[in-house]
């Protein structure tokens, strides 16, 4: 069973601060996805990274896929209260794998 | 375009009963996946259906079953409910294997 470990589990910061969330595994993934989930709603896809070493930016969010495709990080610059939510990483293990493996998530609270 | 619709939003059942949850995917999406989300275990894959065929199944007991209809709508059934089955059950649809998952807002099941 392939596992994705996310850290930290909980994060509470002040508005304007920067933060990084990590997603690590001992297994190789063909691609990794990041989702954000708000209370009472389903997860919403933020980004997919496919190539080892890939960096993608989405406004104040920067996503990186590790060179060995075993880990990923999400960096948020100048966090805002609207960034509050549960951040989940998820990965497909390879071609023909239809099952997404999810990390347990990082619960982020941004205090105004 | 309507999103993924799950019904009902909330369910309260008694231990030993059975329950059926429904999911209507985005129009044109032939793949439907089901996930169980709990605070302790996070999001865990139950199964995926594609064109009415189950093509992958997670590590859940046989009490958990599902099916997909010709219009791509899917149902999930849990028999002989246990207290530990209390969770948020999420359905997700996608157009193809390389397409992103679109989640519904889930059904919150409470077993008493």
């Amino acid at each position: 069973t392939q596992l994705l470990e996310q850290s930290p589990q909980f994060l509470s910061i002040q508005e304007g601060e920067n933060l990084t969330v990590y997603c690590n595994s001992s297994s190789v993934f063909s691609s990794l996805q990041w989702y954000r989930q708000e209370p009472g709603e389903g997860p919403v896809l933020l980004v997919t990274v496919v190539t080892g070493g890939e960096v993608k930016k989405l406004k104040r969010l920067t996503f990186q896929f590790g060179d060995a495709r075993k880990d990923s990080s999400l960096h948020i610059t100048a966090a805002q209260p609207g960034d509050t939510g549960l951040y989940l990483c998820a990965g497909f293990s390879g071609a023909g794998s239809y099952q997404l493996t999810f990390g347990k998530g990082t619960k982020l609270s941004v205090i105004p | 375009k309507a999103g993924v619709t799950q019904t009902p939003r909330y369910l309260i059942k008694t231990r030993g009963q059975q329950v059926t949850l429904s999911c209507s995917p985005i129009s044109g999406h032939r793949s439907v996946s089901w996930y169980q989300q709990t605070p302790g275990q996070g999001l865990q894959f139950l199964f995926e259906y594609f064109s009415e065929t189950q093509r992958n199944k997670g590590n859940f007991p046989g009490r958990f079953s599902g099916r997909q209809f010709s219009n791509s709508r899917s149902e999930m059934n849990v028999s002989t409910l246990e207290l530990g089955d209390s969770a948020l059950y999420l359905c997700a649809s996608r157009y193809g294997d390389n397409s992103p998952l679109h989640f519904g807002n889930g059904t919150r099941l409470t077993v008493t």
Side-chain angles (χ1 to χ4, degrees):
Chain A
T1 303
Q2 296 175 304
L3 295 174
L4 281 167
E5 302 282 345
Q6 284 190 246
S7 61
Q9 192 176 353
F10 300 96
L11 193 54
S12 181
I13 61 171
Q14 295 289 328
E15 181 177 359
E17 292 184 347
N18 301 332
L19 67 113
T20 302
V21 174
Y22 299 94
C23 175
N24 296 299
S25 176
S26 58
S27 304
V28 175
F29 287 89
S30 60
S31 66
L32 269 178
Q33 301 180 344
W34 285 91
Y35 292 80
R36 183 171 74 200
Q37 184 178 20
E38 299 188 28
E41 299 182 5
V44 175
L45 179 68
L46 295 173
V47 77
T48 300
V49 286
V50 179
T51 306
E54 182 177 4
V55 177
K56 280 192 174 178
K57 291 192 175 184
L58 187 66
K59 296 183 182 178
R60 294 176 293 99
L61 278 61
T62 301
F63 304 86
Q64 186 163 5
F65 201 10
D67 291 339
R69 290 185 288 130
K70 292 182 179 181
D71 54 85
S72 181
S73 64
L74 158 60
H75 182 79
I76 301 179
T77 303
Q80 299 177 0
D83 295 328
T84 294
L86 179 68
Y87 288 82
L88 297 156
C89 67
F92 283 108
S93 58
S97 172
Y98 311 115
Q99 177 178 336
L100 253 189
T101 299
F102 278 84
K104 292 187 179 181
T106 293
K107 194 167 185 179
L108 172 65
S109 296
V110 181
I111 302 164
Chain B
K1 201 175 194 181
V4 177
T5 304
Q6 291 188 246
T7 55
R9 285 298 308 272
Y10 302 94
L11 264 177
I12 300 176
K13 289 287 186 178
T14 303
R15 195 169 44 183
Q17 289 185 315
Q18 75 164 16
V19 67
T20 300
L21 313 181
S22 180
C23 172
S24 293
I26 291 173
S27 177
H29 287 193
R30 292 185 295 167
S31 165
V32 174
S33 302
W34 288 89
Y35 289 83
Q36 181 196 66
Q37 187 175 30
T38 58
Q41 298 300 317
L43 267 151
Q44 292 187 286
F45 174 78
L46 281 156
F47 28 66
E48 181 185 18
Y49 287 88
F50 185 88
S51 295
E52 302 179 66
T53 300
Q54 185 185 91
R55 62 178 183 178
N56 207 1
K57 190 177 191 303
N59 294 323
F60 279 83
R63 300 186 296 107
F64 292 82
S65 63
R67 58 178 177 168
Q68 187 180 31
F69 302 96
S70 58
N71 62 357
S72 292
R73 191 176 72 83
S74 178
E75 287 183 347
M76 190 192 97
N77 185 277
V78 187
S79 62
T80 319
L81 284 166
E82 300 178 0
L83 295 178
D85 297 332
S86 294
L88 180 67
Y89 289 88
L90 290 161
C91 165
S93 74
R94 55 180 170 166
Y95 177 76
D97 290 346
N98 294 319
S99 305
L101 284 176
H102 296 265
F103 282 86
N105 288 332
T107 294
R108 172 74 62 186
L109 172 64
T110 302
V111 182
T112 62

